[in-house]
């Protein structure tokens, strides 16, 4: 009950913050495409909003969800299953609380609102009116409380997943590639394949998915790393070159059609900036990485850096026992076109996709159940928040304000404010998602 009242007022703060962030995004003309946000109807649970659980590009707690636009088509099963389970748990919470407070429970059902599944409970309204406002609060707050508990259980399951799956999968040794998109620049004879275990990106060790993402982010935002190559090796491997500037500002000194050679730049002992065309695989094989010549310990060794445009990186991907993959492109392309998991099967007959399926579903369940709790707590017409507010005012203001009309007027304006705030968030959020 106390949780529900706190959630009701807290939802005002969350919706206000979300609205301000949406307006700020509109002013900068940068609609976000990440997923999140959820809503429900009266004592029935369904919705086009969900809470943000893993967005790396947005700090918004709530964001409008449009299946097929900011929810991938191949994840719609997770989405609708999580919506249905969250709604059912929400209504079960109302039903259990009603039975506890001696209110007759007439029935329970599931419905479909446009494309969103939902659930409802039918309580005997006469019994509801006869019990005290405090008892009513317990019933009306039970739905969002059960959604909150469901989200907490999901978080716990996500944290304990490596332990739960330990007899069948092990973690902490790298990331296992589960999918490589057909248009991925990582595809090739010496590229990445499903089942490869990646243990390192450049000089960045990779033990799990978080390491993979952080390494790619670091590589993307830092300048291109170099490789320590001795003067004798440079002389042996290099080709006669004529360097020229590209339109993007980078320097080219190899044949434009070469797929095996890359232009490198370095500074010699006389502090002169030079360029040389090198066979890329031989140049970076078993060499120390560096930023400057000082990082290269041996004498007459130079830090040679691939001469690429500002957004392109040369990334050495280590996935033993296969030969290292040399990826040239934007690091985010590798992030978006290669799917990985931290779970490695202990036995060959186990699916590499099972942990990904479980993990993805639990994340959707956490996001949507949490969002249903937040949005249903909003003091808005037709949502649980309306009945929570009415019962709260009856329990607290009846002895203070004798005139019921004044109390009802206060409740009406609070409900009007909550309804306008929720409608504004949904309208502007929908515009942000579909604007591009």
């Amino acid at each position: 009950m106390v949780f529900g009242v706190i959630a009701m007022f807290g939802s005002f703060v969350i919706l206000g913050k979300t609205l301000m962030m949406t307006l700020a995004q509109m002013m900068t003309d940068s609609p976000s495409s990440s997923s999140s946000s959820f809503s429900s109807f009266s004592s029935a649970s369904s919705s086009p909003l969900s809470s943000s659980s893993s967005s790396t590009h947005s700090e918004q707690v709530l964001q409008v969800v449009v299946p097929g636009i900011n929810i991938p088509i191949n994840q719609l099963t997770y989405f609708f299953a999580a919506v249905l389970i969250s709604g059912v748990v929400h209504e079960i919470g109302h039903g259990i609380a009603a039975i506890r407070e001696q209110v007759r429970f007439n029935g329970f059902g599931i419905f479909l609102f446009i494309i969103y599944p939902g659930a409802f409970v039918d309580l005997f309204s006469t019994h509801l009116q006869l019990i005290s406002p405090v008892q009513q609060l317990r019933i009306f707050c039970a739905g969002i409380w059960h959604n909150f508990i469901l989200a907490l259980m999901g978080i716990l399951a996500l944290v304990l997943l490596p332990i739960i799956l330990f007899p069948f999968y092990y973690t902490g040794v790298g990331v296992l590639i589960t999918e490589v998109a057909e248009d991925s620049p990582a595809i090739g004879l010496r590229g990445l394949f499903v089942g490869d275990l990646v243990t390192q990106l450049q000089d960045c060790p990779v033990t799990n998915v978080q390491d993979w993402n952080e390494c790619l982010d670091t590589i993307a935002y830092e300048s291109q790393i170099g490789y320590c190559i001795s003067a004798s090796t440079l002389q042996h491997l290099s080709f006669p070159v004529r360097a020229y500037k590209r339109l993007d500002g980078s320097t080219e000194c190899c044949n434009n059609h070469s797929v095996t050679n890359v232009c490198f730049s370095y500074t010699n002992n006389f502090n002169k900036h030079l360029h040389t065309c090198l066979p890329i695989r031989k140049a970076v094989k078993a060499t120390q990485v560096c930023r400057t010549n000082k990082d290269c310990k041996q004498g007459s060794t130079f830090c040679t850096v691939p001469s690429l445009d500002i957004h392109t990186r040369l990334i050495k991907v280590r996935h033993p026992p296969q030969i290292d993959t040399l990826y040239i492109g934007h690091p985010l392309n590798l992030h978006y076109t290669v799917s990985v998991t931290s779970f490695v099967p202990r036995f060959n007959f186990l699916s590499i996709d099972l942990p990904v399926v479980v993990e993805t579903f639990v994340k959707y369940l956490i996001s949507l159940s949490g969002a249903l709790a937040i949005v249903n707590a909003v003091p808005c017409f037709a949502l649980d928040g309306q009945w929570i507010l009415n019962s709260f005012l009856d329990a607290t203001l009846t002895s203070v304000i004798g005139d019921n009309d004044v109390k009802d007027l206060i409740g009406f304006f609070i409900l009007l404010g909550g309804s306008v705030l929720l409608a504004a968030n949904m309208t502007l959020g929908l515009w942000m998602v579909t604007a591009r």
Side-chain angles (χ1 to χ4, degrees):
M1 180 184 70
V2 176
F3 170 81
V5 174
I6 295 173
M8 179 181 66
F9 291 108
S11 65
F12 254 116
V13 177
I14 292 173
L15 285 181
K17 181 181 177 181
T18 302
L19 183 61
M20 295 302 295
M21 295 184 70
T22 302
L23 290 172
Q25 287 184 5
M26 290 176 63
M27 296 297 291
T28 56
D29 192 28
S30 59
S32 172
S33 60
S34 58
S35 68
S36 250
S37 198
F38 197 82
S39 93
S40 97
F41 301 90
S42 178
S43 158
S45 310
S46 170
S47 156
L49 284 178
S50 108
S51 80
S52 183
S53 62
S54 59
S55 174
T56 58
H57 302 290
S58 173
E59 295 179 356
Q60 289 184 217
V61 176
L62 295 174
Q63 196 170 44
V64 171
V65 160
V66 181
I69 296 182
N70 57 356
I71 292 286
I73 296 295
N74 61 355
Q75 294 188 7
L76 289 183
T77 302
Y78 300 116
F79 175 76
F80 288 120
V83 169
L84 180 60
I85 291 174
S86 299
V88 168
V89 169
H90 180 96
E91 297 306 323
I92 287 176
H94 286 310
I96 292 174
I99 293 172
R100 181 182 175 184
E101 299 300 331
Q102 306 299 315
V103 173
R104 194 171 78 189
F105 182 81
N106 292 330
F108 169 87
I110 295 174
F111 66 90
L112 190 68
F113 178 79
I114 308 178
I115 60 172
Y116 296 98
F120 67 91
V121 290
D122 182 17
L123 304 179
F124 191 49
S125 57
T126 303
H127 284 183
L128 270 176
Q129 295 169 0
L130 292 175
I131 61 178
S132 69
V134 173
Q135 290 176 299
Q136 291 176 5
L137 266 176
R138 293 194 186 110
I139 296 173
F140 297 139
C141 293
I144 60 178
W145 169 252
H146 277 70
N147 280 130
F148 176 72
I149 294 300
L150 179 61
L152 284 184
M153 290 175 63
I155 293 173
L156 182 62
L158 206 58
V159 172
L160 296 179
L161 194 58
I163 299 175
I164 296 171
L165 296 180
F166 181 77
F168 310 102
Y169 298 84
Y170 57 90
T171 58
V173 294
V175 294
L176 190 69
I177 296 178
T178 58
E179 183 182 3
V180 182
E182 292 182 359
D183 59 346
S184 174
I187 281 184
L189 185 62
R190 294 180 175 177
L192 300 176
F193 296 90
V194 173
D196 286 350
L197 184 65
V198 177
T199 59
Q200 193 167 326
L201 296 172
Q202 296 288 49
D203 60 336
C204 184
V206 175
T207 60
N208 51 44
V209 173
Q210 183 177 352
D211 289 345
W212 166 271
N213 293 331
E214 289 178 353
C215 288
L216 286 177
D217 286 342
T218 301
I219 292 170
Y221 292 111
E222 290 185 356
S223 58
Q224 172 65 54
I225 204 167
Y227 302 88
C228 294
I229 302 178
S230 66
S232 59
T233 303
L234 281 174
Q235 186 176 7
H236 175 70
L237 295 178
S238 62
F239 302 98
V241 298
R242 181 179 178 183
Y244 60 91
K245 286 282 187 180
R246 291 198 192 99
L247 293 177
D248 58 24
S250 61
T251 302
E252 180 57 82
C253 61
C254 294
N255 187 322
N256 282 335
H257 303 292
S258 174
V259 294
T260 59
N261 303 329
V262 170
C263 184
F264 285 78
S265 64
Y266 66 98
T267 303
N268 64 10
N269 293 329
F270 301 101
N271 210 28
K272 185 177 181 181
H273 199 64
L274 302 174
H275 292 86
T276 183
C277 183
L278 300 173
I280 184 170
R281 189 163 290 278
K282 291 181 180 179
V284 304
K285 183 179 180 181
T287 54
Q288 178 189 345
V289 296
C290 57
R291 294 288 179 184
T292 65
N293 286 344
K294 293 180 180 179
D295 296 330
C296 301
K297 307 295 184 182
Q298 300 177 355
S300 299
T301 302
F302 305 107
C303 185
T304 58
V305 181
S307 182
L308 305 169
D309 72 67
I310 191 171
H311 298 298
T312 303
R313 297 288 183 271
L314 166 61
I315 305 174
K316 184 159 66 171
V317 183
R318 184 161 297 171
H319 51 115
Q322 286 79 15
I323 190 170
D324 293 349
T325 294
L326 300 181
Y327 169 86
I328 297 180
H330 199 296
L332 289 183
N333 288 337
L334 196 61
H335 173 79
Y336 290 128
T337 62
V338 178
S339 300
V340 297
T341 178
S342 301
F343 295 89
V344 182
R346 293 183 181 274
F347 311 102
N348 292 332
F349 65 86
L350 292 173
S351 170
I352 63 174
D353 295 319
L354 179 60
V356 177
V357 170
V358 174
E359 196 172 24
T360 303
F361 174 71
V362 172
K363 287 180 179 179
Y364 269 99
L365 194 61
I366 294 169
S367 176
L368 293 168
S369 185
L372 184 57
I374 294 172
V375 177
N376 240 335
V378 177
C380 170
F381 294 107
L383 294 182
D384 283 353
Q386 175 183 0
W387 316 115
I388 294 174
L389 177 66
N390 290 341
S391 299
F392 176 74
L393 294 179
D394 287 340
T396 56
L397 295 186
T398 300
S399 59
V400 179
I401 301 175
D403 192 343
N404 285 334
D405 291 338
V406 175
K407 183 185 64 178
D408 291 342
L409 190 62
I410 293 173
F412 172 78
F413 280 113
I414 294 176
L415 288 173
L416 184 63
S419 301
V420 170
L421 190 59
L422 181 59
N425 271 278
M426 293 186 66
T427 303
L428 295 181
L430 184 62
W431 181 87
M432 291 293 288
V433 169
T434 59
R436 292 181 174 179

